Amino acid sequence: MYNTPKLSVVGAGPGDPELITIKALNTLKDAKVVLFDALINRELLEYAPQAEHIFVGKRKDKHRYSQDEINELIVKYALERGHVVRLKGGDPFIFGRGSEEINYAKSKGLETAVVSGITSSIAVPANVGIPLTQRGTSESFWVITGTTTQKKLSEDVRLAAQSTATVVILMGMAKLPEIVDIFSYYGKQNTPVGIIQNGTTTNEKSGFGTIKSIEKVVAEKQLTAPAIIVIGEVVRESGKLKSVMQNAIEESVIINSPIGG
């Protein structure tokens, strides 16, 4: 039976394999080939046992395939096999280049579909108790890439630092010193910060502090990419930050007391 060449760009969610939509799972079950990224949970591939699984992930300075090569693979396998699923972490239309792949596939005559995913920019903070908006605290939030195509920190970070909004920065760990400098320049040294590595997975790690202290926290907890940086007063809603702040107060009391020396 002839299989119509088709591309489905599917969001895999933030990491927890249960945080994927029913529509995404049904799409995987119909796939003949799955091209998957580095940040997806490999357990999800079990929902496509009949498909060929091909890793095309891109991590910092380690690209198995260029984007142009991935585009060509999509078309090649769709023409040869039929339904290709491009499985991406989070939501494919938030810094996932999903629209580029859809547009390329359309230009080559393929049918296309998009299955939205739960974005890590919202789900990961929520998993540690951080609401991105909070009545009386934050009326909006920014989601910004930490590294642009020119390998520079987005200029939007400087604009966001001047607002009262919650700021969520993806792919920003390598730029953390620059981020700290920008927020400090605008007098935000005491603004709470939460950093969550491998959010919603069994390997999740997190660190909490302020703009003034967060680099020290990252070093002490050995936090690295992939991680999400959340900056704003809403970070205080996390019980983890409250614990950190209480410990800091207690340590200060002991150090400054007559008994403490």
Side-chain angles (χ1 to χ4, degrees):
M1 185 176 71
Y2 177 72
N3 293 309
T4 302
K6 179 179 179 179
L7 167 66
S8 292
V9 176
V10 176
D16 182 340
E18 293 184 337
L19 291 176
I20 188 169
T21 66
I22 294 173
K23 187 170 185 176
L25 294 182
N26 288 336
T27 303
L28 281 171
K29 291 174 184 176
D30 185 59
K32 297 298 185 290
V33 178
V34 178
L35 304 178
F36 65 95
D37 276 353
L39 294 180
I40 70 117
N41 192 308
R42 301 294 179 92
E43 293 179 29
L44 295 176
L45 297 175
E46 297 174 8
Y47 290 96
Q50 76 297 336
E52 181 178 357
H53 306 154
I54 301 172
F55 175 68
V56 293
K58 298 190 289 289
R59 299 295 291 272
K60 183 184 177 184
D61 301 324
K62 294 180 181 179
H63 293 187
R64 182 166 182 146
Y65 295 98
S66 69
Q67 187 61 53
D68 287 342
E69 289 172 330
I70 292 171
N71 291 343
E72 292 296 338
L73 284 175
I74 289 169
V75 174
K76 173 182 181 295
Y77 283 114
L79 294 175
E80 291 178 357
R81 307 279 291 280
H83 190 190
V84 173
V85 166
R86 183 72 172 92
L87 189 61
K88 294 171 168 287
D91 181 273
F93 274 28
I94 298 181
F95 305 126
R97 305 186 77 165
S99 62
E100 295 177 36
E101 294 170 353
I102 287 288
N103 291 337
Y104 187 83
K106 284 182 176 178
S107 75
K108 299 300 180 179
L110 272 61
E111 287 187 14
T112 60
V114 178
V115 181
S116 299
I118 298 174
T119 172
S120 59
S121 58
I122 295 173
V124 168
N127 196 54
V128 295
I130 301 173
L132 298 190
T133 61
Q134 179 81 359
R135 186 168 58 174
T137 302
S138 176
E139 299 172 353
S140 60
F141 60 90
W142 295 62
V143 179
I144 307 173
T145 178
T147 306
T148 66
T149 53
Q150 290 78 37
K151 308 300 182 184
K152 297 180 180 179
L153 183 67
S154 171
E155 282 298 316
D156 286 347
V157 173
R158 188 173 298 278
L159 295 173
Q162 299 174 63
S163 75
T164 59
T166 305
V167 182
V168 181
I169 301 176
L170 310 182
M171 300 173 287
M173 289 299 284
K175 306 292 186 182
L176 185 60
E178 290 180 58
I179 294 167
V180 167
D181 286 346
I182 289 170
F183 276 81
S184 297
Y185 177 82
Y186 289 105
K188 302 289 184 71
Q189 293 91 337
N190 295 318
T191 299
V193 183
I195 295 181
I196 307 100
Q197 177 184 333
N198 295 318
T200 78
T201 73
T202 55
N203 299 320
E204 180 177 287
K205 293 171 61 179
S206 59
F208 294 83
T210 61
I211 287 293
K212 182 166 54 179
S213 67
I214 196 62
E215 289 181 277
K216 180 180 178 182
V217 171
V218 166
E220 289 175 348
K221 292 186 173 289
Q222 298 182 327
L223 297 174
T224 60
I228 288 179
I229 304 168
V230 186
I231 305 170
E233 293 301 320
V234 292
V235 177
R236 296 186 191 277
E237 296 300 315
S238 172
K240 294 185 179 183
L241 177 64
K242 292 174 184 176
S243 176
V244 168
M245 299 300 284
Q246 183 60 37
N247 289 340
I249 292 170
E250 291 174 357
E251 288 175 6
S252 176
V253 170
I254 292 171
I255 291 171
N256 293 309
S257 70
I259 295 176

